[in-house]
Short mmCIF file of all heavy atoms in Angstrom, two decimals:
data_model
loop_
_atom_site.label_atom_id
_atom_site.label_comp_id
_atom_site.label_asym_id
_atom_site.label_seq_id
_atom_site.Cartn_x
_atom_site.Cartn_y
_atom_site.Cartn_z
N MET A 1 25.47 -59.94 -46.85
CA MET A 1 24.05 -60.03 -47.16
C MET A 1 23.30 -60.62 -45.96
O MET A 1 23.58 -61.71 -45.54
CB MET A 1 23.86 -60.91 -48.40
CG MET A 1 22.42 -60.85 -48.77
SD MET A 1 21.80 -62.07 -49.84
CE MET A 1 22.88 -62.62 -50.98
N ALA A 2 22.38 -59.83 -45.46
CA ALA A 2 21.61 -60.32 -44.31
C ALA A 2 20.29 -60.91 -44.79
O ALA A 2 19.58 -60.30 -45.57
CB ALA A 2 21.35 -59.19 -43.33
N SER A 3 20.01 -62.09 -44.29
CA SER A 3 18.76 -62.74 -44.67
C SER A 3 18.12 -63.40 -43.46
O SER A 3 18.80 -64.08 -42.71
CB SER A 3 19.03 -63.78 -45.76
OG SER A 3 17.84 -64.49 -46.03
N ASP A 4 16.81 -63.14 -43.29
CA ASP A 4 16.13 -63.80 -42.17
C ASP A 4 15.21 -64.92 -42.67
O ASP A 4 14.32 -65.37 -42.00
CB ASP A 4 15.33 -62.78 -41.35
CG ASP A 4 14.35 -61.99 -42.22
OD1 ASP A 4 14.24 -62.29 -43.43
OD2 ASP A 4 13.70 -61.08 -41.69
N GLN A 5 15.47 -65.31 -43.90
CA GLN A 5 14.65 -66.39 -44.43
C GLN A 5 15.48 -67.68 -44.51
O GLN A 5 16.69 -67.64 -44.58
CB GLN A 5 14.15 -66.03 -45.83
CG GLN A 5 13.21 -64.83 -45.82
CD GLN A 5 12.72 -64.49 -47.22
OE1 GLN A 5 13.28 -64.95 -48.20
NE2 GLN A 5 11.69 -63.67 -47.29
N GLY A 6 14.78 -68.78 -44.50
CA GLY A 6 15.48 -70.05 -44.67
C GLY A 6 15.98 -70.65 -43.37
O GLY A 6 16.60 -71.69 -43.37
N SER A 7 15.72 -69.98 -42.25
CA SER A 7 16.16 -70.56 -40.98
C SER A 7 14.97 -71.14 -40.21
O SER A 7 13.85 -70.64 -40.31
CB SER A 7 16.85 -69.49 -40.13
OG SER A 7 15.94 -68.47 -39.83
N GLY A 8 15.20 -72.16 -39.46
CA GLY A 8 14.13 -72.74 -38.64
C GLY A 8 13.15 -73.56 -39.43
O GLY A 8 11.96 -73.57 -39.14
N ASP A 9 13.63 -74.25 -40.41
CA ASP A 9 12.72 -75.09 -41.18
C ASP A 9 12.55 -76.46 -40.51
O ASP A 9 13.42 -76.95 -39.84
CB ASP A 9 13.24 -75.26 -42.60
CG ASP A 9 14.62 -75.87 -42.62
OD1 ASP A 9 15.41 -75.53 -41.71
OD2 ASP A 9 14.90 -76.69 -43.51
N GLY A 10 11.36 -77.02 -40.71
CA GLY A 10 11.11 -78.36 -40.17
C GLY A 10 10.89 -78.37 -38.68
O GLY A 10 11.02 -79.39 -38.03
N GLY A 11 10.57 -77.22 -38.10
CA GLY A 11 10.38 -77.18 -36.65
C GLY A 11 9.02 -77.67 -36.21
O GLY A 11 8.86 -78.17 -35.10
N ILE A 12 8.04 -77.49 -37.09
CA ILE A 12 6.67 -77.84 -36.70
C ILE A 12 6.15 -79.00 -37.54
O ILE A 12 6.20 -78.95 -38.77
CB ILE A 12 5.73 -76.62 -36.86
CG1 ILE A 12 6.23 -75.47 -36.00
CG2 ILE A 12 4.30 -77.01 -36.50
CD1 ILE A 12 5.42 -74.20 -36.19
N VAL A 13 5.70 -80.01 -36.87
CA VAL A 13 5.10 -81.14 -37.58
C VAL A 13 3.63 -81.21 -37.21
O VAL A 13 3.28 -81.36 -36.05
CB VAL A 13 5.78 -82.47 -37.20
CG1 VAL A 13 5.08 -83.62 -37.89
CG2 VAL A 13 7.26 -82.43 -37.57
N GLU A 14 2.79 -81.06 -38.21
CA GLU A 14 1.36 -81.09 -37.92
C GLU A 14 0.90 -82.53 -37.68
O GLU A 14 1.32 -83.43 -38.38
CB GLU A 14 0.60 -80.50 -39.12
CG GLU A 14 1.00 -79.06 -39.38
CD GLU A 14 -0.18 -78.24 -39.87
OE1 GLU A 14 -1.29 -78.80 -39.98
OE2 GLU A 14 -0.01 -77.05 -40.14
N PRO A 15 0.07 -82.69 -36.68
CA PRO A 15 -0.43 -84.04 -36.38
C PRO A 15 -1.30 -84.56 -37.51
O PRO A 15 -2.04 -83.82 -38.14
CB PRO A 15 -1.27 -83.84 -35.10
CG PRO A 15 -1.64 -82.38 -35.11
CD PRO A 15 -0.50 -81.69 -35.78
N THR A 16 -1.16 -85.82 -37.75
CA THR A 16 -1.96 -86.43 -38.81
C THR A 16 -3.42 -86.50 -38.39
O THR A 16 -3.73 -86.96 -37.31
CB THR A 16 -1.46 -87.85 -39.11
OG1 THR A 16 -0.08 -87.78 -39.43
CG2 THR A 16 -2.22 -88.44 -40.29
N ARG A 17 -4.28 -86.02 -39.24
CA ARG A 17 -5.71 -86.06 -38.94
C ARG A 17 -6.42 -87.02 -39.86
O ARG A 17 -5.94 -87.30 -40.95
CB ARG A 17 -6.31 -84.66 -39.10
CG ARG A 17 -5.62 -83.65 -38.20
CD ARG A 17 -6.29 -82.30 -38.31
NE ARG A 17 -7.70 -82.40 -38.02
CZ ARG A 17 -8.47 -81.34 -37.81
NH1 ARG A 17 -7.97 -80.14 -37.83
NH2 ARG A 17 -9.74 -81.48 -37.57
N THR A 18 -7.54 -87.47 -39.40
CA THR A 18 -8.30 -88.41 -40.21
C THR A 18 -9.00 -87.70 -41.35
O THR A 18 -9.38 -88.29 -42.33
CB THR A 18 -9.36 -89.14 -39.36
OG1 THR A 18 -10.26 -88.17 -38.84
CG2 THR A 18 -8.69 -89.88 -38.20
N GLY A 19 -9.16 -86.37 -41.20
CA GLY A 19 -9.84 -85.60 -42.23
C GLY A 19 -11.34 -85.57 -42.02
O GLY A 19 -12.04 -84.83 -42.68
N ASP A 20 -11.81 -86.37 -41.09
CA ASP A 20 -13.24 -86.39 -40.80
C ASP A 20 -13.49 -85.86 -39.39
O ASP A 20 -13.07 -86.50 -38.42
CB ASP A 20 -13.76 -87.82 -40.93
CG ASP A 20 -15.28 -87.88 -40.83
OD1 ASP A 20 -15.88 -86.94 -40.28
OD2 ASP A 20 -15.86 -88.86 -41.32
N PRO A 21 -14.11 -84.69 -39.27
CA PRO A 21 -14.31 -84.09 -37.95
C PRO A 21 -15.15 -84.96 -37.03
O PRO A 21 -15.04 -84.89 -35.81
CB PRO A 21 -15.01 -82.76 -38.24
CG PRO A 21 -15.58 -82.92 -39.62
CD PRO A 21 -14.66 -83.87 -40.33
N PHE A 22 -16.00 -85.79 -37.61
CA PHE A 22 -16.83 -86.66 -36.79
C PHE A 22 -15.98 -87.79 -36.20
O PHE A 22 -16.12 -88.15 -35.05
CB PHE A 22 -17.98 -87.23 -37.61
CG PHE A 22 -18.92 -86.16 -38.10
CD1 PHE A 22 -19.01 -85.86 -39.44
CD2 PHE A 22 -19.71 -85.45 -37.20
CE1 PHE A 22 -19.85 -84.86 -39.90
CE2 PHE A 22 -20.56 -84.46 -37.65
CZ PHE A 22 -20.63 -84.15 -39.00
N GLU A 23 -15.06 -88.30 -37.02
CA GLU A 23 -14.15 -89.34 -36.54
C GLU A 23 -13.17 -88.74 -35.55
O GLU A 23 -12.74 -89.39 -34.59
CB GLU A 23 -13.38 -89.94 -37.72
CG GLU A 23 -14.25 -90.74 -38.67
CD GLU A 23 -14.66 -92.09 -38.09
OE1 GLU A 23 -13.85 -92.70 -37.39
OE2 GLU A 23 -15.80 -92.49 -38.34
N ASP A 24 -12.83 -87.50 -35.77
CA ASP A 24 -11.87 -86.81 -34.91
C ASP A 24 -12.42 -86.58 -33.51
O ASP A 24 -11.69 -86.47 -32.55
CB ASP A 24 -11.53 -85.43 -35.51
CG ASP A 24 -10.18 -85.43 -36.21
OD1 ASP A 24 -9.55 -86.50 -36.23
OD2 ASP A 24 -9.77 -84.38 -36.70
N GLY A 25 -13.73 -86.49 -33.43
CA GLY A 25 -14.33 -86.21 -32.15
C GLY A 25 -14.32 -84.72 -31.85
O GLY A 25 -14.53 -84.30 -30.72
N THR A 26 -14.04 -83.89 -32.87
CA THR A 26 -14.02 -82.45 -32.66
C THR A 26 -15.42 -81.88 -32.64
O THR A 26 -15.63 -80.77 -32.20
CB THR A 26 -13.19 -81.77 -33.76
OG1 THR A 26 -13.67 -82.18 -35.03
CG2 THR A 26 -11.73 -82.13 -33.63
N LEU A 27 -16.37 -82.66 -33.12
CA LEU A 27 -17.76 -82.22 -33.08
C LEU A 27 -18.49 -83.02 -32.01
O LEU A 27 -18.29 -84.21 -31.88
CB LEU A 27 -18.44 -82.44 -34.43
CG LEU A 27 -18.03 -81.46 -35.53
CD1 LEU A 27 -18.84 -81.74 -36.79
CD2 LEU A 27 -18.25 -80.03 -35.11
N GLU A 28 -19.31 -82.32 -31.27
CA GLU A 28 -20.07 -83.02 -30.24
C GLU A 28 -21.28 -83.70 -30.84
O GLU A 28 -22.09 -83.08 -31.50
CB GLU A 28 -20.51 -82.02 -29.16
CG GLU A 28 -19.39 -81.68 -28.23
CD GLU A 28 -19.92 -81.07 -26.94
OE1 GLU A 28 -21.01 -81.47 -26.51
OE2 GLU A 28 -19.25 -80.20 -26.40
N VAL A 29 -21.37 -84.97 -30.62
CA VAL A 29 -22.50 -85.74 -31.13
C VAL A 29 -23.56 -85.83 -30.05
O VAL A 29 -23.30 -86.32 -28.96
CB VAL A 29 -22.04 -87.15 -31.54
CG1 VAL A 29 -23.23 -87.96 -32.04
CG2 VAL A 29 -20.95 -87.07 -32.60
N PRO A 30 -24.75 -85.34 -30.36
CA PRO A 30 -25.83 -85.37 -29.37
C PRO A 30 -26.42 -86.77 -29.24
O PRO A 30 -26.32 -87.58 -30.15
CB PRO A 30 -26.85 -84.38 -29.94
CG PRO A 30 -26.65 -84.47 -31.42
CD PRO A 30 -25.17 -84.72 -31.63
N ASN A 31 -27.04 -87.00 -28.13
CA ASN A 31 -27.75 -88.26 -27.95
C ASN A 31 -29.22 -88.06 -28.30
O ASN A 31 -29.77 -86.98 -28.12
CB ASN A 31 -27.65 -88.73 -26.51
CG ASN A 31 -26.24 -89.22 -26.18
OD1 ASN A 31 -25.55 -89.74 -27.04
ND2 ASN A 31 -25.83 -89.03 -24.95
N CYS A 32 -29.83 -89.11 -28.80
CA CYS A 32 -31.24 -89.05 -29.15
C CYS A 32 -32.08 -88.72 -27.91
O CYS A 32 -31.92 -89.36 -26.87
CB CYS A 32 -31.66 -90.39 -29.75
SG CYS A 32 -33.42 -90.46 -30.10
N PRO A 33 -32.96 -87.71 -28.02
CA PRO A 33 -33.80 -87.33 -26.88
C PRO A 33 -34.84 -88.39 -26.54
O PRO A 33 -35.42 -88.36 -25.46
CB PRO A 33 -34.45 -86.02 -27.35
CG PRO A 33 -34.45 -86.10 -28.84
CD PRO A 33 -33.21 -86.88 -29.20
N VAL A 34 -35.06 -89.30 -27.46
CA VAL A 34 -36.09 -90.32 -27.24
C VAL A 34 -35.50 -91.59 -26.63
O VAL A 34 -35.94 -92.08 -25.60
CB VAL A 34 -36.81 -90.66 -28.56
CG1 VAL A 34 -37.83 -91.77 -28.34
CG2 VAL A 34 -37.48 -89.41 -29.12
N CYS A 35 -34.45 -92.12 -27.26
CA CYS A 35 -33.90 -93.39 -26.81
C CYS A 35 -32.45 -93.27 -26.34
O CYS A 35 -31.83 -94.26 -25.97
CB CYS A 35 -34.01 -94.43 -27.93
SG CYS A 35 -32.97 -94.07 -29.36
N LEU A 36 -31.91 -92.05 -26.36
CA LEU A 36 -30.55 -91.78 -25.90
C LEU A 36 -29.48 -92.51 -26.71
O LEU A 36 -28.36 -92.65 -26.27
CB LEU A 36 -30.41 -92.14 -24.41
CG LEU A 36 -31.36 -91.37 -23.49
CD1 LEU A 36 -31.11 -91.76 -22.05
CD2 LEU A 36 -31.20 -89.87 -23.67
N HIS A 37 -29.87 -92.94 -27.90
CA HIS A 37 -28.89 -93.56 -28.79
C HIS A 37 -28.01 -92.46 -29.37
O HIS A 37 -28.44 -91.32 -29.49
CB HIS A 37 -29.64 -94.30 -29.91
CG HIS A 37 -28.78 -95.31 -30.63
ND1 HIS A 37 -28.56 -96.57 -30.13
CD2 HIS A 37 -28.10 -95.22 -31.80
CE1 HIS A 37 -27.78 -97.23 -30.99
NE2 HIS A 37 -27.48 -96.43 -32.01
N ARG A 38 -26.79 -92.77 -29.71
CA ARG A 38 -25.88 -91.79 -30.30
C ARG A 38 -26.36 -91.45 -31.70
O ARG A 38 -26.51 -92.33 -32.54
CB ARG A 38 -24.46 -92.36 -30.36
CG ARG A 38 -23.39 -91.33 -30.64
CD ARG A 38 -22.03 -91.95 -30.34
NE ARG A 38 -20.93 -91.00 -30.58
CZ ARG A 38 -20.17 -91.02 -31.67
NH1 ARG A 38 -20.38 -91.92 -32.61
NH2 ARG A 38 -19.19 -90.16 -31.82
N MET A 39 -26.61 -90.14 -31.94
CA MET A 39 -27.15 -89.74 -33.23
C MET A 39 -26.05 -89.63 -34.27
O MET A 39 -24.87 -89.48 -33.95
CB MET A 39 -27.89 -88.41 -33.09
CG MET A 39 -29.02 -88.47 -32.07
SD MET A 39 -30.02 -86.98 -32.01
CE MET A 39 -31.24 -87.35 -33.28
N GLU A 40 -26.45 -89.71 -35.53
CA GLU A 40 -25.49 -89.65 -36.62
C GLU A 40 -25.78 -88.45 -37.50
O GLU A 40 -26.93 -88.09 -37.71
CB GLU A 40 -25.60 -90.92 -37.47
CG GLU A 40 -25.43 -92.17 -36.66
CD GLU A 40 -24.37 -93.07 -37.26
OE1 GLU A 40 -24.23 -93.06 -38.49
OE2 GLU A 40 -23.69 -93.77 -36.49
N PRO A 41 -24.72 -87.80 -38.01
CA PRO A 41 -24.91 -86.63 -38.87
C PRO A 41 -25.51 -87.03 -40.21
O PRO A 41 -25.17 -88.05 -40.78
CB PRO A 41 -23.49 -86.08 -39.04
CG PRO A 41 -22.60 -87.27 -38.83
CD PRO A 41 -23.31 -88.14 -37.82
N ALA A 42 -26.42 -86.19 -40.67
CA ALA A 42 -27.04 -86.43 -41.97
C ALA A 42 -27.29 -85.08 -42.62
O ALA A 42 -27.29 -84.05 -41.96
CB ALA A 42 -28.34 -87.19 -41.80
N SER A 43 -27.50 -85.08 -43.91
CA SER A 43 -27.75 -83.82 -44.60
C SER A 43 -28.94 -83.95 -45.52
O SER A 43 -29.22 -85.02 -46.06
CB SER A 43 -26.50 -83.39 -45.37
OG SER A 43 -26.12 -84.40 -46.28
N THR A 44 -29.63 -82.84 -45.68
CA THR A 44 -30.79 -82.84 -46.56
C THR A 44 -30.36 -82.56 -47.99
O THR A 44 -29.23 -82.16 -48.23
CB THR A 44 -31.79 -81.76 -46.13
OG1 THR A 44 -31.18 -80.48 -46.32
CG2 THR A 44 -32.17 -81.91 -44.67
N ALA A 45 -31.27 -82.75 -48.90
CA ALA A 45 -30.97 -82.49 -50.31
C ALA A 45 -30.70 -81.00 -50.54
O ALA A 45 -30.01 -80.61 -51.47
CB ALA A 45 -32.13 -82.94 -51.17
N ALA A 46 -31.25 -80.18 -49.64
CA ALA A 46 -31.07 -78.74 -49.77
C ALA A 46 -29.73 -78.27 -49.20
O ALA A 46 -29.38 -77.11 -49.29
CB ALA A 46 -32.20 -78.02 -49.07
N GLY A 47 -28.99 -79.20 -48.62
CA GLY A 47 -27.68 -78.84 -48.09
C GLY A 47 -27.67 -78.59 -46.59
O GLY A 47 -26.64 -78.29 -46.02
N GLY A 48 -28.85 -78.72 -45.97
CA GLY A 48 -28.91 -78.54 -44.53
C GLY A 48 -28.33 -79.74 -43.80
O GLY A 48 -28.26 -80.83 -44.35
N VAL A 49 -27.93 -79.51 -42.57
CA VAL A 49 -27.36 -80.61 -41.79
C VAL A 49 -28.21 -80.86 -40.56
O VAL A 49 -28.67 -79.93 -39.92
CB VAL A 49 -25.92 -80.28 -41.36
CG1 VAL A 49 -25.35 -81.40 -40.51
CG2 VAL A 49 -25.04 -80.04 -42.58
N TYR A 50 -28.44 -82.09 -40.28
CA TYR A 50 -29.21 -82.44 -39.08
C TYR A 50 -28.71 -83.74 -38.50
O TYR A 50 -27.90 -84.45 -39.11
CB TYR A 50 -30.70 -82.52 -39.41
CG TYR A 50 -31.07 -83.65 -40.34
CD1 TYR A 50 -31.51 -84.87 -39.83
CD2 TYR A 50 -30.99 -83.50 -41.73
CE1 TYR A 50 -31.86 -85.91 -40.67
CE2 TYR A 50 -31.33 -84.54 -42.58
CZ TYR A 50 -31.76 -85.74 -42.05
OH TYR A 50 -32.10 -86.76 -42.90
N TRP A 51 -29.18 -84.04 -37.30
CA TRP A 51 -28.80 -85.29 -36.66
C TRP A 51 -29.94 -86.28 -36.81
O TRP A 51 -31.10 -85.91 -36.72
CB TRP A 51 -28.51 -85.05 -35.18
CG TRP A 51 -27.34 -84.16 -34.95
CD1 TRP A 51 -27.38 -82.83 -34.63
CD2 TRP A 51 -25.95 -84.51 -35.03
NE1 TRP A 51 -26.09 -82.35 -34.51
CE2 TRP A 51 -25.21 -83.36 -34.75
CE3 TRP A 51 -25.28 -85.69 -35.32
CZ2 TRP A 51 -23.81 -83.34 -34.74
CZ3 TRP A 51 -23.89 -85.67 -35.30
CH2 TRP A 51 -23.17 -84.52 -35.01
N ALA A 52 -29.59 -87.51 -37.03
CA ALA A 52 -30.60 -88.54 -37.16
C ALA A 52 -30.25 -89.71 -36.26
O ALA A 52 -29.10 -90.11 -36.14
CB ALA A 52 -30.68 -89.01 -38.61
N CYS A 53 -31.27 -90.25 -35.61
CA CYS A 53 -31.07 -91.41 -34.76
C CYS A 53 -31.29 -92.66 -35.60
O CYS A 53 -32.33 -92.83 -36.22
CB CYS A 53 -32.04 -91.37 -33.58
SG CYS A 53 -31.92 -92.84 -32.55
N THR A 54 -30.28 -93.53 -35.59
CA THR A 54 -30.41 -94.76 -36.39
C THR A 54 -31.25 -95.79 -35.66
O THR A 54 -31.60 -96.82 -36.22
CB THR A 54 -29.02 -95.35 -36.67
OG1 THR A 54 -28.35 -95.58 -35.43
CG2 THR A 54 -28.18 -94.39 -37.49
N GLU A 55 -31.54 -95.51 -34.40
CA GLU A 55 -32.28 -96.48 -33.60
C GLU A 55 -33.79 -96.31 -33.77
O GLU A 55 -34.51 -97.26 -34.01
CB GLU A 55 -31.90 -96.31 -32.13
CG GLU A 55 -32.34 -97.45 -31.24
CD GLU A 55 -31.52 -98.71 -31.48
OE1 GLU A 55 -30.48 -98.63 -32.16
OE2 GLU A 55 -31.93 -99.78 -31.02
N CYS A 56 -34.27 -95.06 -33.62
CA CYS A 56 -35.71 -94.85 -33.66
C CYS A 56 -36.13 -93.88 -34.76
O CYS A 56 -37.31 -93.66 -34.97
CB CYS A 56 -36.21 -94.34 -32.31
SG CYS A 56 -35.67 -92.65 -31.94
N GLY A 57 -35.16 -93.31 -35.47
CA GLY A 57 -35.50 -92.45 -36.59
C GLY A 57 -35.75 -91.00 -36.19
O GLY A 57 -36.12 -90.18 -37.04
N GLN A 58 -35.53 -90.67 -34.93
CA GLN A 58 -35.72 -89.30 -34.48
C GLN A 58 -34.69 -88.39 -35.15
O GLN A 58 -33.54 -88.78 -35.37
CB GLN A 58 -35.53 -89.23 -32.96
CG GLN A 58 -35.77 -87.85 -32.38
CD GLN A 58 -37.24 -87.50 -32.34
OE1 GLN A 58 -37.60 -86.35 -32.50
NE2 GLN A 58 -38.09 -88.49 -32.10
N THR A 59 -35.11 -87.17 -35.53
CA THR A 59 -34.18 -86.24 -36.15
C THR A 59 -34.12 -84.96 -35.32
O THR A 59 -35.03 -84.65 -34.55
CB THR A 59 -34.60 -85.88 -37.58
OG1 THR A 59 -35.91 -85.34 -37.56
CG2 THR A 59 -34.57 -87.10 -38.46
N ARG A 60 -33.03 -84.26 -35.49
CA ARG A 60 -32.82 -83.05 -34.71
C ARG A 60 -31.91 -82.12 -35.50
O ARG A 60 -30.93 -82.56 -36.10
CB ARG A 60 -32.17 -83.43 -33.37
CG ARG A 60 -31.67 -82.26 -32.57
CD ARG A 60 -31.08 -82.77 -31.26
NE ARG A 60 -30.26 -81.75 -30.66
CZ ARG A 60 -29.66 -81.87 -29.48
NH1 ARG A 60 -29.79 -82.98 -28.80
NH2 ARG A 60 -28.94 -80.90 -29.00
N LEU A 61 -32.23 -80.83 -35.51
CA LEU A 61 -31.42 -79.87 -36.24
C LEU A 61 -30.06 -79.72 -35.57
O LEU A 61 -29.96 -79.74 -34.35
CB LEU A 61 -32.10 -78.50 -36.27
CG LEU A 61 -33.37 -78.43 -37.15
CD1 LEU A 61 -33.97 -77.04 -37.06
CD2 LEU A 61 -33.03 -78.76 -38.60
N ALA A 62 -29.01 -79.61 -36.38
CA ALA A 62 -27.66 -79.48 -35.84
C ALA A 62 -27.42 -78.03 -35.39
O ALA A 62 -28.05 -77.14 -35.92
CB ALA A 62 -26.63 -79.88 -36.88
ZN1 ZN B 101 -33.57 -92.61 -30.95
#
């Protein structure tokens, strides 16, 4: 009986991720155009996503 299944198990170990792309650094975080502070991701009630500056309140579409 020839079988090509069941061989090569446990060869790949996926790296542990934080689960948060922002913490991961996989998303580029823009700087505030006004004060150059690092902006933070925020979302609207409608489900839209935008960047908000915690320093001066400037917002920017993602
Ligand atoms: Zn700002």
Side-chain angles (χ1 to χ4, degrees):
M1 186 197 328
S3 174
D4 55 4
Q5 295 180 345
S7 62
D9 58 324
I12 301 175
V13 177
E14 300 215 1
T16 304
R17 302 184 55 167
T18 61
D20 188 338
F22 296 112
E23 292 286 324
D24 257 2
T26 53
L27 286 183
E28 282 198 34
V29 179
N31 289 328
C32 176
V34 177
C35 67
L36 301 182
H37 198 82
R38 194 166 180 259
M39 302 186 88
E40 304 233 328
S43 57
T44 65
V49 178
Y50 67 95
W51 296 101
C53 176
T54 57
E55 194 72 12
C56 69
Q58 183 74 214
T59 58
R60 169 179 163 177
L61 290 178

